[in-house]
């Protein structure tokens, strides 16, 4: 009925936003902490950090290669979600579940957007893409090209979300990641990579001025880099 459709739409919307937020936190963490020697996540960390040096190389990866690692990490999530699923249902009269599979819908949308985000990310680095994809980017249904280009300015400290990018303005204007960095530094003494690239950012955050960000040390993606992209 109408309530079922409304519930499904609301569940999907919340799951999309959470997926966007999760990619932002994950992207921020691997961009700024660890190295290729980090246990378990070393390869992923190295790939994200090297990507800043040669962003166009991402466009050479086919879908299977681009999404493989993410798909492997999603499998345990789906197993856990399947096991927890029955516990997530609200029981109605007579012991029948109420909710029409909203838990399962939310998990499936979230899980699929994790691997899909790798393609959305890749599209922002491609010089020429299908007009339909360009329209989706312009409408904010998938990560907009210009938004992600802003991330590729040193010290790479903003626009981390890569599903739709919807949450990027909110997270950046509230200095969410700067506050996280200050918390991590206070608790562990570890400095994020973006602080190492911008002393002004580091000093600003440490004195509580979260809006203090150094002038970009690099321009938006250079035309020469875009020309080296496949599909160009």
């Amino acid at each position: 009925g109408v309530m079922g459709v409304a519930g499904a739409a609301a569940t999907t919307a919340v799951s999309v936003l959470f997926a966007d937020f999760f990619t932002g936190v994950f992207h921020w963490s691997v961009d700024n902490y660890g190295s290729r020697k980090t246990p378990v996540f070393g390869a992923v960390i190295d790939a994200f950090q090297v990507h800043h040096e040669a962003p166009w190389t991402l466009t050479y990866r086919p879908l299977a290669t681009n999404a493989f690692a993410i798909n492997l990490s999603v499998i345990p999530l789906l197993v856990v979600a399947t096991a927890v699923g029955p516990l997530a249902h609200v029981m109605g009269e007579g012991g029948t579940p109420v909710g029409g599979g909203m838990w399962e819908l939310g998990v499936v949308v979230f899980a699929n957007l994790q691997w899909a985000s790798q393609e959305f990310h890749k599209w922002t680095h491609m010089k020429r893409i299908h007009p339909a994809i360009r329209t989706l980017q312009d409408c904010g249904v998938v990560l907009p090209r210009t938004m992600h280009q802003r991330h590729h300015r040193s010290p790479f400290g903003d626009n981390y979300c890569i599903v739709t990018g919807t949450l990027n303005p909110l997270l950046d204007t509230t200095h969410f990641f700067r506050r996280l960095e200050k918390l991590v530094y206070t608790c562990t003494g570890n400095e994020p990579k973006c602080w190492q690239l911008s002393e002004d950012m580091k000093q600003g955050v440490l004195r509580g001025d979260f809006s203090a960000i150094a002038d970009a040390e690099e321009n938006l993606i250079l035309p020469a880099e875009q020309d080296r992209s496949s599909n160009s």
Side-chain angles (χ1 to χ4, degrees), residues 89-110:
H89 292 155
V90 177
M91 305 308 290
E93 294 183 6
T96 57
V98 177
M102 296 304 170
W103 165 260
E104 289 82 358
L105 173 62
V107 170
V108 168
V109 170
F110 173 83

Side-chain angles (χ1 to χ4, degrees), residues 198-218:
S198 173
E199 183 66 21
D200 287 346
M201 176 184 285
K202 173 183 175 181
Q203 294 303 323
V205 172
L206 289 179
R207 66 174 178 265
D209 181 7
F210 295 102
S211 63
I213 298 177
D215 292 334
E217 297 172 1
E218 297 178 1

Side-chain angles (χ1 to χ4, degrees), residues 114-159:
Q114 294 312 299
W115 69 259
S117 69
Q118 299 304 304
E119 284 297 289
F120 302 162
H121 179 199
K122 182 174 76 176
W123 292 342
T124 65
H125 290 289
M126 293 169 63
K127 187 176 181 181
R128 287 206 293 263
I129 55 177
H130 193 280
I133 295 176
R134 180 76 70 193
T135 298
L136 292 176
Q137 290 178 331
D138 292 342
C139 294
V141 176
V142 299
L143 180 65
R145 174 188 177 90
T146 53
M147 177 180 285
H148 187 64
Q149 284 182 333
R150 289 196 291 272
H151 171 72
H152 278 270
R153 297 175 299 180
S154 182
F156 313 103
D158 57 11
N159 291 287

